[in-house]
Amino acid sequence: MQPLTVHAGVVAPLLRANIDTDAIIPSREMRRVSRQGLGEGLFANWRYLDPELRRPNPDFVLNRPERAGASILLGGPNFGCGSSREYAVWALDEFGIRVILAPDFNPIFHKNCVANGLLPARLPFPAIRELAAWTDRDPQGNRLVVDLRTSRIEGGGTPVAFDVSGADRIRLLRGLDDIALTDTRAAVIEAFERNRFAAHPWVRLPEGADR
Amino acid sequence: MPSSLFDKLWDSHCVETDDDGVSLLYVDRVVMHERTGSVALDTLLRRGRPVRRPEHVFCVVDHVVDTRPGRGDETQAPGGRDFIVALRQGAAAFGLRMFDVDDQDQGITHLVSAEQGIALPGLSIVCPDSHTCTLGALGTLAFGIGTSELQHVLATSTLRMAKPDTMRVVIDGRLGAHATAKDLALYLIGAYGTGGAGGAAVEFAGEAVARMDTEARMTLCNMAAEFGAATAVIAPDEAVLKSVVAAPLAPARVGDWSALRSDCGARFDREVDLDAAAIGPQVTWGTSPEQCAPVRARVPAATTTAARRSLAYMGLEPGTPLDSVPIDAAFVGSCTNARIGDLRAAARVLEGRPGAPGVAAVCVPGSRRVKRAAEAEGLDRVFVEAGFEWREPGCSMCFFAGGETFGAGKRVISTTNRNFEERQGPGVRSHLASPGVVAASAVCGRIAAPDAL
């Protein structure tokens, strides 16, 4: 996983509440058993007037020429609600989104972001609206700088502090792989499991039986 | 110190917690479906990483599998077959028990988990599906996870997560006639919003919950996914414990389930109270589950941009009585409302009544077990005589995967859980409701409460 320390980029505001993962990647866009090939399907129902023919909707923010190259999304409350599909994050990632700023996130979507090196940063809605208004004035020129080392966003006026948990911050900064991290705790897990099976033998199912 | 049910479940699975507050949780059971599980198995195979406890991992085909009679691996969703084949190959490679297309116990993942005893009180279970919280109804610690997290669990038997806040929703009083767990869930989400739980683990309690059977509890916990909850739990009562020990994978004898309830004086980060008696049949009018109202109410005034957008998509005018709105289709199915009790509730309304002309009606039992039980009671005949198609189990038209849909602009009354724009197909307008409301609407040809008949 690529570490994320400082990211500067063009901003795309999508200031709607409850942007769900069906909207981020419609189920019909999940056509292959793969993490790849999803960027084109990102926001397909909004981004295209005809999703099958891929006819772009010129009004959708990610199709606006002045938002070209956007890598920071501004969203509304309860961002990423709905289905747990990690395809939504893979689609955002492939499109080039690195940071999402929203008042709050769905818990599974939030974890999927961090697992893929995308920063889901919490910021009160009024502050998000202010940032959006600032980028509206000059979308290509008014880029935001998101500094995960200091948990601050610069752009416009005074830097704004955003909220991200300490553990998520470190994981993103270092680009840590979860499995490798947990592998270092294998002995502790084995001991816990031994105790659990001893105390509650019914928890353990027979190996290889009826399989 | 008194503990909540969630605290007890968490503590009994917590291997350790690091300085940043992130815990390693021991995972007793893993279930996955072809849509999101296939990718994880494929990735582990490529990396040469083994599954740590294959005997505790289960695979179920439900998401894109066809539900028309005579189905096989071919799907109507583009590329859908590849997901089924990949899951099958992964299951074979790792030696995982698979509930395949033709398995006599196949069904929607969360129903299969309960029916088979994969989920049991006091166990922890994960599944790469947001509605895994359904299983909290059994007193199981259940989390919906992503595909990367699934890989982690398969490789290490643990889940890495920070402990969520807790929230108790106490529902006092008794539900009135024709009001169900689904109506209660919709009412709650309508009152507090789809982000209402704020990522907390929710415990449902109170008289109305205590009176619910296992299936109704599962419906209530299922909808916690639409409430912004990390998961949901309900303290299992005698009836629940009795219902789970009959499952094939349940132990013959258990002695340690009695403590699975919140202690008196347990603390929660948030508590809310509802009065069940005030809740009647509900139906959604917008494109978020929180946009709901009593069936006998009118479409509300659009006071926000979001509401105006929803009403434009739904083709509804403020002030219109909801129970005057004509429907084109009715759907009974999904992990929310496709258990035997749901089918019985719909059949009670349908019995002896022809379906309204022009309404495309579909019933998809949640599992083969449910289907067999329904057929043994003759419910299939009731559905068919009322004009419903009687299908094979699966998620079916709960969502559009590029295959079946009711058609652009069609209005569907549905026992499912999500009424998002285009969820059930391009331009499809979805109204969420209970099985009784869906059945009554199918008979009337318009949105209707069961007592309207």
Side-chain angles (χ1 to χ4, degrees):
Chain A
M1 203 171 87
Q2 284 294 310
L4 191 150
T5 47
V6 184
H7 178 80
V10 173
V11 170
L14 259 175
L15 303 184
R16 293 168 56 171
N18 306 320
I19 291 177
D20 60 77
T21 51
D22 273 77
I24 298 171
I25 188 83
S27 182
R28 67 155 178 273
E29 300 290 342
M30 295 148 51
R31 293 173 189 178
R32 289 166 46 210
V33 184
S34 170
R35 292 166 155 76
Q36 268 89 49
L38 293 151
E40 203 185 285
L42 179 73
F43 291 117
N45 293 334
W46 297 346
R47 197 164 139 213
Y48 305 110
L49 291 172
D50 184 332
E52 289 307 312
L53 300 176
R54 296 289 195 241
R55 202 152 53 87
N57 171 6
D59 295 332
F60 185 61
V61 64
L62 293 178
N63 291 332
R64 306 287 303 169
E66 66 272 23
R67 301 283 176 180
S71 59
I72 301 173
L73 272 189
L74 301 183
N78 201 25
F79 195 97
C81 63
S83 160
S84 66
R85 61 185 73 163
E86 197 165 318
Y87 297 88
V89 174
W90 298 332
L92 288 162
D93 186 35
E94 192 172 297
F95 183 85
I97 302 296
R98 310 305 313 152
V99 178
I100 306 166
L101 293 162
D104 54 18
F105 295 87
N106 170 274
I108 302 174
F109 177 81
H110 187 277
K111 289 197 287 179
N112 287 342
C113 281
V114 176
N116 288 276
L118 272 70
L119 168 64
R122 286 179 295 269
L123 202 62
F125 211 13
I128 288 174
R129 286 184 195 282
E130 270 180 44
L131 291 176
W134 178 69
T135 66
D136 281 346
R137 277 177 240 146
D138 178 7
Q140 284 293 327
N142 288 356
R143 300 181 179 211
L144 286 181
V145 181
V146 179
D147 192 337
L148 189 54
R149 295 166 308 185
T150 57
S151 299
R152 277 169 181 276
I153 303 162
E154 287 173 40
T158 32
V160 196
F162 61 82
D163 183 26
V164 59
S165 87
D168 291 339
R169 193 173 147 265
I170 287 163
R171 208 177 142 195
L172 287 164
L173 281 171
R174 297 186 188 159
L176 293 176
D177 176 67
D178 253 7
I179 296 181
L181 207 62
T182 303
D183 279 344
T184 66
R185 311 304 299 156
V188 184
I189 295 166
E190 267 165 43
F192 181 93
E193 186 180 62
R194 255 195 317 276
N195 289 338
R196 180 155 177 76
F197 288 168
H200 311 285
W202 61 273
V203 171
R204 185 174 195 177
L205 293 174
E207 288 172 41
D210 300 324
R211 260 155 238 283
Chain B
M1 210 176 85
S3 303
S4 72
L5 170 58
F6 180 76
D7 290 335
K8 292 179 188 183
L9 287 167
W10 180 275
D11 292 346
S12 64
H13 290 91
C14 185
V15 176
E16 62 179 7
T17 304
D18 69 18
D19 295 341
D20 293 313
V22 177
S23 298
L24 277 181
L25 278 189
Y26 185 79
V27 176
D28 297 312
R29 302 286 186 268
V30 182
V31 185
M32 71 187 84
H33 55 68
E34 77 275 26
R35 200 56 161 162
T36 54
S38 50
V39 188
L41 293 181
D42 186 61
T43 306
L44 291 182
L45 277 176
R46 279 167 206 268
R47 291 185 188 168
R49 177 82 194 206
V51 170
R52 189 174 172 279
R53 283 244 164 245
E55 66 274 22
H56 288 172
V57 183
F58 301 84
C59 299
V60 188
V61 174
D62 65 2
H63 264 57
V64 290
V65 66
D66 206 310
T67 55
R68 292 174 304 181
R71 69 184 179 185
D73 286 357
E74 292 305 323
T75 70
Q76 297 175 72
R81 185 179 193 278
D82 297 344
F83 289 84
I84 296 172
V85 171
L87 186 72
R88 188 179 294 143
Q89 286 172 346
F94 289 116
L96 315 177
R97 166 77 163 97
M98 170 134 172
F99 296 87
D100 211 330
V101 180
D102 55 359
D103 193 292
Q104 284 312 295
D105 289 325
Q106 179 268 344
I108 302 174
T109 307
H110 314 305
L111 277 80
V112 172
S113 296
E115 291 168 351
Q116 296 296 314
I118 298 168
L120 291 168
L123 289 184
S124 61
I125 189 169
V126 298
C127 174
D129 188 284
S130 59
H131 290 109
T132 308
C133 51
T134 307
L135 300 166
L138 307 177
T140 308
L141 181 63
F143 290 110
I145 58 174
T147 295
S148 297
E149 286 185 291
L150 173 62
Q151 286 163 207
H152 182 274
V153 177
L154 291 170
T156 68
S157 301
T158 61
L159 184 62
R160 187 174 270 281
M161 72 181 283
K163 189 179 176 183
D165 282 353
T166 54
M167 175 178 187
R168 180 156 63 180
V169 178
V170 179
I171 307 151
D172 284 319
R174 294 185 187 192
L175 282 169
H178 304 296
T180 66
K182 178 66 163 289
D183 301 298
L184 217 163
L186 287 172
Y187 179 89
L188 173 71
I189 295 161
Y192 292 92
T194 48
V202 173
E203 176 174 347
F204 292 108
E207 187 193 352
V209 178
R211 298 178 68 88
M212 283 180 190
D213 64 14
T214 310
E215 296 192 354
R217 291 167 182 228
M218 289 176 80
T219 299
L220 183 58
C221 288
N222 173 278
M223 291 294 287
E226 270 52 67
F227 187 47
T231 190
V233 285
I234 296 175
D237 64 0
E238 281 299 313
V240 170
L241 297 181
K242 226 173 124 182
S243 72
V244 299
V245 291
L249 292 171
R253 198 166 53 85
V254 286
D256 50 2
W257 289 347
S258 60
L260 290 175
R261 55 188 145 74
S262 289
D263 297 332
C264 195
R267 293 178 63 105
F268 296 83
D269 296 297
R270 280 179 70 197
E271 290 213 55
V272 300
D273 293 285
L274 294 182
D275 177 12
I279 300 165
Q282 306 282 310
V283 65
T284 60
W285 50 263
T287 57
S288 166
E290 70 187 30
Q291 292 172 322
C292 79
V295 171
R296 291 216 163 72
R298 289 168 185 270
V299 176
T303 53
T304 63
T305 315
R308 276 190 292 278
R309 186 182 166 119
S310 291
L311 288 183
Y313 180 86
M314 294 299 290
L316 292 174
E317 289 295 327
T320 310
L322 280 164
D323 63 2
S324 73
V325 175
I327 57 155
D328 303 299
F331 182 77
V332 175
S334 87
C335 56
T336 310
N337 279 132
R339 284 168 279 274
I340 188 69
D342 299 313
L343 269 49
R344 283 180 190 140
R348 268 198 301 276
V349 175
L350 296 173
E351 184 138 37
R353 296 185 171 112
V359 172
V362 178
C363 178
V364 185
S367 70
R368 281 259 163 76
R369 283 193 171 219
V370 169
K371 184 167 185 262
R372 279 196 297 276
E375 288 172 354
E377 295 175 21
L379 302 186
D380 54 326
R381 275 188 297 103
V382 176
F383 277 100
V384 170
E385 280 165 18
F388 276 73
E389 288 181 46
W390 182 249
R391 295 281 190 105
E392 295 294 332
C395 301
S396 194
M397 290 201 273
C398 175
F399 56 86
F400 176 67
E404 279 189 287
T405 168
F406 295 100
K410 298 294 184 193
R411 188 178 301 285
V412 186
I413 186 120
S414 178
T415 65
T416 55
N417 41 58
R418 290 181 179 142
N419 53 342
F420 303 154
E421 281 180 21
E422 323 246 324
R423 166 78 176 181
Q424 290 182 300
V428 174
R429 294 157 168 167
S430 309
H431 293 270
L432 307 179
S434 70
V437 169
V438 170
S441 306
V443 169
C444 295
R446 57 175 171 80
I447 295 172
D451 57 356
L453 294 165

